Amino acid sequence: MAKKTKQTKVLPIYILNGPNLNLLGHREPEVYGYTTLAEIEAMCARQAKSHGLSIVFRQSNREGEIVDHLQEARTGGSAVIINPAGYGHTSIAILDSIQALKIPVIEVHLSNIHKREPFRNHSYVSKGATGIVMGLGAQGYLRAVDAVAEVLSSKSRSK
Ligand code: CA2
């Protein structure tokens, strides 16, 4: 008789984006590139699918709403990819929410924040992140999806 194996559905990766990232591709393309956030969402969905994963993609201009999305990911997500944008440099509330998670967290920045103005050189989010991708533009989100796939599969292998 064939052995029944229990298939557990992998929860989606929450990809969270902070303030002003909705302007991507429309303003300051010389700093942040020409790719829009909608295009990044489509690219991430495709990349996740290639690893057998799915995504929930959000953008918010409000700190408290990002905290709500992180709390949602606590129970509904397998991992978080977050570009906290300006809040990365200021928000202890977002760091606290990340530290309450038991799932991998990858921080993404389109630009290399260490090459920029001194006030952008520090990120509170980095203290809670499993890993960080920066300076690769929109491609950085795809590398973050790859990193999540790798971390999740090594976690499931070690079970
Ligand atoms: O490099 C990144 O991804 C940043 O997180 C982007 C933030 C910035 O505050 C961080 O220091 C680094 C800014 C996101 C705002 O994006 C805009 C896009 C187009 C026009 C204006 C802002």
Side-chain angles (χ1 to χ4, degrees):
M1 196 168 65
K3 194 176 160 211
K4 273 191 190 160
T5 51
K6 198 175 163 197
Q7 292 284 333
T8 47
K9 180 130 180 54
V10 183
L11 295 170
I13 307 167
Y14 272 64
I15 304 184
L16 306 181
N17 296 279
N20 298 307
L21 286 165
N22 52 313
L23 301 176
L24 274 184
H26 303 289
R27 305 268 157 77
E28 297 185 48
E30 64 291 349
V31 185
Y32 297 116
Y34 287 91
T35 312
T36 66
L37 199 61
E39 288 165 341
I40 292 176
E41 176 174 3
M43 287 156 59
C44 287
R46 237 180 290 127
Q47 193 74 3
K49 198 170 173 202
S50 77
H51 293 291
L53 298 168
S54 63
I55 64 166
V56 166
F57 197 93
R58 303 260 170 82
Q59 187 276 331
S60 177
N61 293 327
R62 292 170 193 80
E63 186 176 14
E65 196 167 42
I66 297 168
V67 167
D68 289 341
H69 294 157
L70 285 162
Q71 290 190 6
E72 197 181 305
R74 261 182 93 224
T75 50
S78 62
V80 167
I81 293 171
I82 182 167
N83 182 345
Y87 285 142
H89 312 302
T90 62
S91 179
I92 294 169
I94 289 176
L95 171 61
D96 287 342
S97 312
I98 287 173
Q99 287 181 328
L101 297 173
K102 291 192 174 70
I103 55 179
V105 176
I106 308 293
E107 178 181 5
V108 172
H109 293 281
L110 297 153
S111 61
N112 177 351
I113 61 173
H114 298 294
K115 278 173 90 173
R116 301 188 63 191
E117 305 96 316
F119 63 85
R120 293 186 203 275
N121 297 164
H122 175 264
S123 163
Y124 284 101
V125 166
S126 299
K127 188 153 179 58
T130 310
I132 307 164
V133 181
M134 67 170 80
L136 303 181
Q139 288 292 317
Y141 282 77
L142 304 185
R143 300 295 71 83
V145 170
D146 294 340
V148 163
E150 178 56 38
V151 173
L152 293 180
S153 82
S154 71
K155 249 172 119 184
S156 79
R157 277 196 303 271
S158 67
K159 270 187 189 159

